[in-house]
Amino acid sequence: MIFTAVIKPTHICNLACTYCYNDDVRDPVMRDETLERTIAETFAYARAHAPGRRVSFIWHGGEPMVAGRAFYEQACDLQRHYAGDLTYANSIQTNGVLINDAWLDLFARERFSLSVSIDGPKPVHDAYRLDKRGRGSFDRVMAAVESVQAAGLPLGVCVVISRANRDRVDELYDLLAARGLPFNVIPINKSGGAREAYDDVGLGREDYAEPWIRLYDRWFDADEDYVYCSDFVFKTRAIAAGRPADCVGLARCADTNISIDPVGDVYPCASLSGHADTRYGNILDADLATLMAGPVARAYRDRAVDPQCARCRWQHVCHGGCQARSYKFFGDIDARDYYCPSLFRVYEHIARRLDERGVPRADRPPVPAVSCDRTNAAPVYTA
């Protein structure tokens, strides 16, 4: 088992993306005391509670590079000091705009992997990924991609599916495949800047499935233009093996994931930072084991099973979908994921594609075919 700590050294960002999910308006950079406590407690908890004794540190934001190179040099020194017999890895989710040779030297020396955000060709990417002066970021991001690849560092791409690229997924796939860029796909969350703009930038509950499936088929049928996509791999693996393979599908995702914000507040997920009712407590006030045993943490680790989910044939790989999206769209972590109807279509499609190829799938107890309704109320059955 890998214990994942998503650390947000700052909520400050040098871009102003239209669909930014960040709800936390506080703008400090994590202090030295908080950073040391965060790393020490992460290792201590993983040593006692993670059988695999592996830790994944994901540096997130805001724009995490705003914290500066000295911050990460200190973080890496602290990791070496506190890791002991545990193995660990560092990755950073960045918009890429601040990457230069000095940063590349640091990332190479400390063996960081990087993920940058690209939503498609220049007109698509620049529709929503703007700087604070309203200028598109595509050219700067692609220059960063080229420099990272030239340095030989591990690099992936995070793709947000939105109204800007929903009808241009072939161009998106061509762009990533031509540059050999592994990628992940996610929908827009209704939070932060996206809350007010959602009708203009976001997709409906059923609408996310269509571009996802078209992009999946490009990937599934690819030969010479194959490029790795983690969401496609994990969901395909889940359907084939009969068990979830990503945090979105886990029944108890909060068992193995935490997020710590700039002031040391601990949350179950990076996207929930700043919401007082999702806060476990503060890492400066209590050890992580105590916070993980608290009432808020227990609630996130014991999600109630929705009656419709219990009757769905994909419940065993989905478990109601993403709790953070349930909270952001409905204010209730026990509600089904907003994108539940799309997730049902996605799992159905993957199963069909595997059957076409003759790929064996794990047997599950027969249940009615349930399609997710629009209201989180009564189930709607498919033929």
Side-chain angles (χ1 to χ4, degrees), residues 125-187:
H125 178 95
D126 285 349
Y128 301 142
R129 296 197 61 81
L130 309 169
D131 65 18
K132 297 182 187 302
R133 297 172 60 183
R135 301 173 301 179
S137 58
F138 180 82
D139 291 338
R140 287 171 283 175
V141 173
M142 294 310 298
V145 165
E146 291 176 3
S147 65
V148 174
Q149 289 184 314
L153 297 176
L155 175 65
V157 167
C158 180
V159 175
V160 178
I161 301 296
S162 69
R163 290 184 181 272
N165 59 12
R166 62 177 296 181
D167 296 321
R168 302 181 69 172
V169 294
D170 285 309
E171 296 172 71
L172 168 62
Y173 189 88
D174 290 342
L175 173 71
L176 300 174
R179 290 164 174 77
L181 291 170
F183 67 102
N184 188 33
V185 291
I186 59 173

Side-chain angles (χ1 to χ4, degrees), residues 61-78:
E63 170 47 54
M65 290 176 62
V66 167
R69 294 192 304 278
F71 176 90
Y72 292 97
E73 290 168 348
Q74 181 182 12
C76 293
D77 287 341
L78 290 167

Side-chain angles (χ1 to χ4, degrees), residues 80-161:
R80 283 186 282 271
H81 177 73
Y82 286 106
D85 60 341
L86 300 182
T87 59
Y88 64 93
N90 286 300
S91 60
I92 188 166
Q93 176 64 47
T94 174
N95 58 46
V97 172
L98 298 177
I99 291 175
N100 57 26
D101 289 343
W103 276 106
L104 292 175
D105 289 343
L106 170 63
F107 292 146
R109 183 173 70 251
E110 300 296 351
R111 302 177 67 181
F112 271 63
S113 60
L114 291 83
S115 174
V116 300
S117 297
I118 301 174
D119 290 347
K122 182 178 173 68
V124 174
H125 178 95
D126 285 349
Y128 301 142
R129 296 197 61 81
L130 309 169
D131 65 18
K132 297 182 187 302
R133 297 172 60 183
R135 301 173 301 179
S137 58
F138 180 82
D139 291 338
R140 287 171 283 175
V141 173
M142 294 310 298
V145 165
E146 291 176 3
S147 65
V148 174
Q149 289 184 314
L153 297 176
L155 175 65
V157 167
C158 180
V159 175
V160 178
I161 301 296

